[in-house]
Amino acid sequence: MTQFPIDKIRNDFPILNEKIRNKPLVYLDNAASSQKPNVVIDCISHVYRHDYANVHRGVHTLSVRSTDKFEGAREKIKDFINAESGKEIIFTKGTTESINLVAQSYGKANIKAGDEILISAMEHHSNIVPWQMLSEQTGAILKVAPINLRGELILDEFIKLIGDKTRLISIAHMSNALGTINPVKQIIAAAHHKNIPVLLDGAQAIPHMPVDVLNLDCDFYAFSGHKLYGPSGIGVLYGKQALLESMPPYQGGGDMIRKVTFEETEYNTLPYKFEAGTPSIADAIALGAAIDYLNEIGMGAVAVYEAELLDYATEQAKKIKGLRIIGEAAEKGAILSFVLDKIHPHDIGTMLDSLGIAVRAGHHCAMPVMDFFEVPATARASFAIYNTKQEIDILMNGIESLIEVFG
Amino acid sequence: MFDDLRDLYQEVIFDHNRNPRNFRIIENADRKVDGFNPLCGDRLTLYLKMNGDVIEDASFQGSGCAISTASVSLMTEIVKGKTEAEAEALFKTFHEMTTGKDEQINLEAVGKLAVLAGVREYPARVKCATLAWHTLDAALKNEKQAVSTE
């Protein structure tokens, strides 16, 4: 195997040259949002300088050019996750909107009072609240499958909760607070045995591993551009074509219609049926650029490199007395959540920041997960393609020093 | 190593974090109010024993970061023996000190609390310092509901 081109990658991300509090930036908050390579930054600028107009509207040259690039990005995304057709790729604002779309469109049309929606105890708020809202609106019941103390889904319990009333399953492909990668293929197989569709929340998984929606056989897959080295404000909902065809529109407006009179409206075909209004055009095109960039590196290589980083970080963290890792699943992505004896995560966050190290300190928008582990919050270091073992050393030294200061 | 943080994490703060004062329950408290900072999960319960309009005793329970623990610990010390009006005035001064609206800090008025002035430079941490005082404010107004910094 060729060596992972870490030096080249680091050069591609200009923000890594920033000094934070007079120290070189060590950016370990990638699970919240990742930094952007030059190709993405330049792409946005190029679109606005040379290719920008509204899409799907004009006959003029720029609109055609803009539309071609926008639809080109859709095709890149389709290939990246191995969907069958561009019609299955809906542009959204991000994971949250993608999940809300499924809840309000598929959910409202198919879920009735007494029906059940099944999620897991490790979901972040955007895979909890849309289902609570749908439950309130329809009288459906939200079921939550338990996790164990290692932060793993208890698969037997999950399968047991798939019952005659279950109408939809929505689960994280990878947990943002714990790093756990869920056995989604087994869940999907069990769900399909009972004809229940499955939505995978791919917000965390997508930047860390190859994702093949055909192979997974998931019915929906939601993710954001901004965790995938692309812009914020753009995301994707993948849905199987037949399912999307059967669903009512989510929002009304321009682009999602074929014909409008004041008496009735004929909706547009996929994917436009779900893309009301002017989309985030430049951001969608730049997400395509981010995907080109990742394809050059190869998602397989990314997964191998990040696994090495995580193993190293875990090994080093375990040497620190008073440090407890939250989330020790056997299958895990590049996230290290931890707490320190008698030192609050917010203090850890501020102390590390003074050393130029950016980590997340808080509940990670997953308050129920914090409650389960009986911690108010954790500190979380999450790794990306541009992080190095040297940076992990800087983090561990920082942790050891702050433990000393707190005495 | 943490020289930049000396203004924020003064020794007094570490001391109160390690050994919080008045960390106990007042069984026959006249006022009991919960404070919560959903952003970071800091929770505290403030107890007040009143004698007329004088705060005779103040204590707290809960868990939070060093800044919030030191802030509530210092607050329970300083408000003891103060009238409600004096405590409210102190809250106002403290609020101005920590949110930086008033550049001139009246050191005499805030006394020991001056060690928390450093949070002004850390907008993400201001709420850690003010949670205790918002909770006190609610307790003095005899609000039954839990207060939240959000």
Side-chain angles (χ1 to χ4, degrees):
Chain A
M1 202 183 80
T2 52
Q3 210 181 348
F4 194 73
I6 184 65
D7 294 337
K8 182 198 169 294
I9 290 172
R10 286 188 68 80
N11 277 327
D12 290 336
F13 287 80
I15 206 167
L16 297 180
N17 297 318
E18 282 293 299
K19 292 273 188 289
I20 301 294
R21 299 186 183 272
N22 294 321
K23 315 258 178 3
L25 167 66
V26 176
Y27 187 78
L28 301 176
D29 194 17
N30 297 287
S33 199
S34 60
Q35 300 297 347
K36 317 306 170 199
N38 281 318
V39 287
V40 168
I41 300 166
D42 294 346
C43 175
I44 293 176
S45 164
H46 190 274
V47 169
Y48 285 124
R49 284 172 191 279
H50 301 289
D51 300 321
Y52 185 77
N54 211 331
V55 290
H56 311 134
R57 278 161 177 81
V59 294
H60 61 80
T61 304
L62 270 187
S63 178
V64 172
R65 209 190 278 170
S66 178
T67 303
D68 283 352
K69 293 221 163 189
F70 182 74
E71 291 304 322
R74 196 190 305 275
E75 287 300 307
K76 288 176 187 176
I77 293 162
K78 180 208 90 177
D79 292 339
F80 187 65
I81 62 171
N82 196 30
E84 278 187 297
S85 158
K87 291 176 180 170
E88 299 177 316
I89 305 299
I90 316 288
F91 280 118
T92 64
K93 282 192 295 187
T95 305
T96 299
E97 189 180 41
S98 298
I99 295 174
N100 276 281
L101 191 162
V102 176
Q104 291 303 313
S105 169
Y106 181 86
K108 264 194 182 162
N110 295 285
I111 294 172
K112 314 216 160 20
D115 289 348
E116 293 173 4
I117 302 155
L118 179 56
I119 63 172
S120 88
M122 72 175 82
E123 304 308 320
H124 64 152
H125 298 161
S126 48
N127 199 25
I128 301 173
V129 184
W131 308 116
Q132 286 175 331
M133 288 167 66
L134 178 66
S135 299
E136 267 174 37
Q137 291 159 352
T138 60
I141 297 153
L142 186 59
K143 292 274 184 181
V144 183
I147 56 176
N148 64 25
L149 283 169
R150 294 162 61 86
E152 295 163 323
L153 194 71
I154 306 170
L155 190 59
D156 290 354
E157 297 287 326
F158 194 97
I159 304 280
K160 263 190 236 163
L161 282 168
I162 305 176
D164 294 339
K165 290 189 169 176
T166 311
R167 293 290 173 268
L168 185 72
I169 292 169
S170 189
I171 184 166
H173 191 178
M174 173 175 155
S175 153
N176 74 322
L178 304 166
T180 310
I181 298 170
N182 282 315
V184 290
K185 275 195 87 164
Q186 285 160 272
I187 289 168
I188 291 165
H192 285 177
H193 194 63
K194 296 191 172 178
N195 290 319
I196 300 161
V198 179
L199 185 161
L200 293 184
D201 173 349
Q204 290 301 330
I206 197 93
H208 298 298
M209 64 188 83
V211 169
D212 179 336
V213 293
L214 266 189
N215 180 268
L216 288 169
D217 199 24
C218 56
D219 300 277
F220 300 104
Y221 197 95
F223 65 94
S224 301
H226 71 95
K227 295 194 208 289
L228 193 64
Y229 310 100
S232 58
I234 191 79
V236 172
L237 174 68
Y238 157 83
K240 283 183 180 167
Q241 193 172 336
L243 261 175
L244 292 174
E245 297 277 12
S246 75
M247 287 158 53
Y250 170 51
Q251 292 178 327
D255 233 19
M256 55 77 73
I257 43 83
R258 180 176 285 150
K259 190 178 137 206
V260 179
T261 66
F262 283 114
E263 286 68 42
E264 61 173 358
T265 291
E266 198 180 307
Y267 300 128
N268 205 340
T269 51
L270 288 176
Y272 313 112
K273 183 170 87 174
F274 293 105
E275 294 180 355
T278 297
S280 203
I281 300 164
D283 296 319
I285 297 169
L287 175 54
I291 284 173
D292 286 342
Y293 180 78
L294 286 166
N295 281 336
E296 249 174 65
I297 301 167
M299 288 310 292
V302 166
V304 170
Y305 179 73
E306 290 183 349
E308 257 178 54
L309 284 183
L310 179 68
D311 285 349
Y312 182 72
T314 306
E315 197 180 293
Q316 298 305 309
K318 282 185 171 165
K319 291 181 187 163
I320 297 177
K321 211 171 152 251
L323 185 151
R324 172 186 165 210
I325 296 173
I326 304 289
E328 295 187 281
E331 296 294 323
K332 219 184 135 175
I335 284 176
L336 185 79
S337 238
F338 63 93
V339 291
L340 298 179
D341 258 359
K342 291 180 186 155
I343 306 177
H344 192 279
H346 251 202
D347 296 317
I348 300 171
T350 299
M351 291 253 159
L352 292 178
D353 177 64
S354 78
L355 306 176
I357 306 166
V359 297
R360 176 83 189 267
H363 51 61
H364 317 298
C365 298
M367 285 185 181
V369 176
M370 302 297 109
D371 290 343
F372 177 76
F373 286 97
E374 295 180 337
V375 293
T378 74
R380 178 186 70 187
S382 50
F383 308 105
I385 49 173
Y386 39 70
N387 291 128
T388 63
K389 287 184 183 171
Q390 289 90 318
E391 288 181 308
I392 291 169
D393 289 339
I394 293 170
L395 168 70
M396 298 302 163
N397 284 335
I399 295 171
E400 279 175 344
S401 307
L402 76 89
I403 289 173
E404 216 168 282
V405 170
F406 266 78
Chain B
M1 195 163 185
F2 297 99
D3 291 351
D4 298 351
L5 288 178
R6 223 169 261 164
D7 285 345
L8 182 63
Y9 288 99
Q10 300 198 25
E11 200 41 53
V12 179
I13 289 176
F14 283 128
D15 173 36
H16 278 259
N17 183 50
R18 272 183 222 117
N19 309 300
R21 319 296 197 266
N22 302 307
F23 188 75
R24 56 188 160 82
I25 296 168
I26 298 174
E27 291 296 348
N28 56 348
D30 298 300
R31 314 268 170 92
K32 179 188 165 204
V33 175
D34 295 323
F36 179 46
N37 181 350
L39 206 65
C40 55
D42 288 354
R43 282 170 195 281
L44 64 90
T45 304
L46 181 70
Y47 300 87
L48 296 181
K49 178 81 190 144
M50 306 299 294
N51 182 358
D53 77 336
V54 174
I55 301 168
E56 198 175 81
D57 194 10
S59 75
F60 78 102
Q61 293 273 278
S63 72
C65 65
I67 305 292
S68 84
T69 303
S71 180
V72 65
S73 171
L74 282 159
M75 183 188 79
T76 53
E77 276 194 318
I78 206 164
V79 298
K80 256 190 256 186
K82 294 236 180 337
T83 64
E84 288 187 33
E86 285 167 344
E88 283 288 5
L90 204 51
F91 167 52
K92 205 167 154 268
T93 314
F94 183 81
H95 199 261
E96 277 166 10
M97 176 183 87
T98 49
T99 54
K101 279 174 199 146
D102 187 0
E103 289 306 312
Q104 290 295 317
I105 301 164
N106 185 342
L107 285 177
E108 215 170 306
V110 292
K112 255 193 189 176
L113 300 178
V115 296
L116 286 159
V119 297
R120 289 210 288 191
E121 306 301 323
Y122 298 84
R125 305 301 302 274
V126 169
K127 284 174 177 173
C128 307
T130 54
L131 174 65
W133 289 88
H134 283 291
T135 311
L136 175 72
D137 184 47
L140 292 175
K141 290 180 175 140
N142 214 357
E143 287 168 15
K144 296 248 157 34
Q145 279 194 327
V147 295
S148 163
T149 55
E150 294 306 298

